[in-house]
Amino acid sequence: MRLIMLGPPGAGKGTQGGMLARALQVPHIATGDIFRQAVKEATELGRRAKSYLEKGELVPDGIVVGIVLERLQKSDCEKGFILDGFPRTVQQAEALEGFLHQEGKELTGVILLDVDPEVLVERLTGRRVCRQCGATYHIRNMPPQREGRCDKCGGELYQREDDREETVRHRLQVHESQTRPLRDYYEKRGLLSVFAAARPIEEVFAAIMEQLGRGRQ
Ligand code: AMP
């Protein structure tokens, strides 16, 4: 299955994308994670992406597209993939379409997670991430058992720089202007499925699996 997770920051693309990847046994490719890792390791890519991430701006298409297309050529993507956070602009979507066409492949579908913007601000500003393994928590909705520590690996939990309220509001605006047009783009191609995503995680996941024909029998 070749799936795209679409939706504003905080809609649950990472959470649902990770669960889907495990269930479908395909890689979960999250561009935000790739960039954060590169910044952490201070690689050439990290150096180029850092200021965009900090401000909540999009990394230029020319940088992002190359990284993703290279990743999609790895052998683990042969059985499919879940793209999370890519594409984010029409140009990125066109580049992906061109690449898949060349490979004689097609997207299976695009999963749009739809959530009210005010819920997103609450979700994002309360989000905490494990510095060690990347697991995510929420200070109210999904608190760790021990404050500030990851349940899975004991790593330190921190707030992403771009999850501070002012940057969150800016990221939501960037999403509105640059990424929202992708709804129409994929709707016209008959690929879009919309899911109300302000519901509990397991409920959203079950609805997606049902739509993919993988629901409980
Ligand atoms: P995310 O974790 O998906 O919210 O992404 C965090 C940040 O990484 C974004 O605010 C952008 O700065 C950058 N980023 C991630 N994916 C993309 C993309 N497809 N195009 C441009 N910038 C991206």
Side-chain angles (χ1 to χ4, degrees):
M1 288 215 178
R2 297 182 200 94
L3 298 171
I4 289 176
M5 308 300 297
L6 204 62
K13 301 189 296 295
T15 304
Q16 297 294 338
M19 291 165 80
L20 280 170
R22 277 190 295 280
L24 304 172
Q25 300 273 297
V26 293
H28 173 212
I29 303 171
T31 42
D33 288 349
I34 294 175
F35 289 130
R36 276 185 293 280
Q37 186 67 24
V39 170
K40 194 169 142 193
E41 291 171 2
T43 61
E44 169 64 17
L45 173 68
R47 204 183 50 71
R48 291 166 78 190
K50 190 169 191 274
S51 66
Y52 297 102
L53 262 78
E54 279 171 359
K55 285 183 263 169
E57 300 281 351
L58 293 188
V59 175
D61 289 339
I63 301 177
V64 188
V65 168
I67 303 288
V68 174
L69 299 192
E70 198 176 303
R71 177 66 187 87
L72 292 180
Q73 288 174 60
K74 298 238 163 92
S75 60
D76 62 339
C77 292
E78 254 150 47
K79 44 189 176 156
F81 52 76
I82 312 276
L83 275 176
D84 159 7
F86 181 95
R88 256 181 160 96
T89 64
V90 170
Q91 284 91 327
Q92 292 179 13
E94 286 170 349
L96 176 66
E97 195 170 74
F99 168 80
L100 291 174
H101 184 73
Q102 240 176 21
E103 301 268 304
K105 292 175 180 158
E106 278 179 2
L107 284 175
T108 310
V110 176
I111 293 164
L112 172 68
L113 301 179
D114 204 21
V115 189
D116 183 296
E118 277 314 308
V119 175
L120 295 173
V121 173
E122 211 270 329
R123 276 193 185 178
L124 287 164
T125 54
R127 176 162 68 180
R128 296 294 180 270
V129 185
C130 173
R131 229 180 252 293
Q132 220 153 276
C133 74
T136 53
Y137 297 86
H138 189 281
I139 50 174
R140 277 175 297 280
N141 309 338
M142 213 207 296
Q145 276 162 11
R146 192 153 60 99
E147 203 187 317
R149 288 283 155 195
C150 177
D151 292 347
K152 296 185 181 129
C153 74
E156 183 202 352
L157 302 185
Y158 78 107
Q159 182 179 41
R160 274 170 50 172
E161 187 76 30
D162 60 351
D163 279 346
R164 294 177 201 279
E165 182 159 350
E166 210 183 286
T167 317
V168 161
R169 294 202 183 270
H170 182 61
R171 285 165 66 205
L172 292 174
Q173 279 166 10
V174 169
H175 174 82
E176 268 309 298
S177 62
Q178 318 240 53
T179 310
R180 200 170 239 283
L182 290 180
R183 286 186 179 212
D184 277 359
Y185 183 94
Y186 286 120
E187 176 130 63
K188 278 191 194 128
R189 284 156 175 78
L191 288 169
L192 193 74
S193 306
V194 184
F195 297 88
R199 299 177 283 168
I201 291 171
E202 289 296 341
E203 229 176 87
V204 178
F205 180 64
I208 298 173
M209 289 297 275
E210 190 79 48
Q211 154 79 24
L212 295 173
R214 303 288 183 108
R216 289 214 178 107
Q217 304 296 315

